[in-house]
Amino acid sequence: MSSQSLSSFRKGHECLDAQDTSALNSIFFTSIPPERMGLNGDYDHDGLAKRVSLVLSDQFSSSDLQDLHVAQRGAVVVLTGKLETRSLLESITQVAQAVHGAAEVETLGVRILDPVADYSYLPNFSPFSSSSYAY
């Protein structure tokens, strides 16, 4: 674009100066979104994931969490990795959901190592029973 056409473009359109821009920033960016708040209250792109990891490490043993990875996609906490039981996953999910800024907790990437352990309390439960009702 030539300087002549650029100057005619500016004449036809209102431009913001530095003061106007800072005024707009103060209106729109007065607070940090909850999912971007870091451990110390400052802006952190992965703040929610870090805060969830901190809360989980306080409430669960390190052996329970050793194969679990916590990430975030916006306000969604994304859990991936391996856990021993589904009940452990449900407990972790409830704790993660309670962290300020978490809209949802995604657990599709978590593999349960011992799915039978959650059903051992049922009477006469055997994971190897071969009952069939098809005739």
Side-chain angles (χ1 to χ4, degrees):
M1 195 177 245
S2 71
S3 61
Q4 183 179 12
S5 61
L6 182 60
S7 63
S8 63
F9 175 78
R10 285 188 178 155
K11 287 179 188 173
H13 293 72
E14 203 173 304
C15 294
L16 294 175
D17 62 8
Q19 281 185 331
D20 292 336
T21 305
S22 65
L24 282 176
N25 286 340
S26 67
I27 292 169
F28 292 115
F29 303 110
T30 56
S31 64
I32 299 170
E35 69 272 13
R36 301 296 182 207
M37 181 141 334
L39 295 173
N40 300 318
D42 54 338
Y43 180 87
D44 186 344
H45 187 74
D46 297 318
L48 177 60
K50 290 176 182 176
R51 288 184 289 119
V52 168
S53 294
L54 181 65
V55 171
L56 292 178
S57 67
D58 287 344
Q59 296 191 20
F60 296 93
S61 71
S62 59
S63 62
D64 285 340
L65 302 174
Q66 69 183 3
D67 293 324
L68 185 70
H69 178 72
V70 180
Q72 77 180 80
R73 187 177 56 250
V76 177
V77 176
V78 180
L79 302 176
T80 57
K82 300 179 279 188
L83 291 172
E84 286 296 319
T85 63
R86 178 156 302 283
S87 59
L88 177 60
L89 175 60
E90 289 169 2
S91 298
I92 288 171
T93 301
Q94 287 176 353
V95 170
Q97 183 71 49
V99 173
H100 180 65
E104 283 186 55
V105 178
E106 181 180 301
T107 61
L108 297 172
V110 178
R111 193 174 102 211
I112 305 301
L113 298 177
D114 190 5
V116 176
D118 291 321
Y119 301 105
S120 61
Y121 64 90
L122 296 174
N124 301 323
F125 175 78
S126 170
F128 305 107
S129 66
S130 58
S131 300
S132 175
Y133 297 101
Y135 294 97

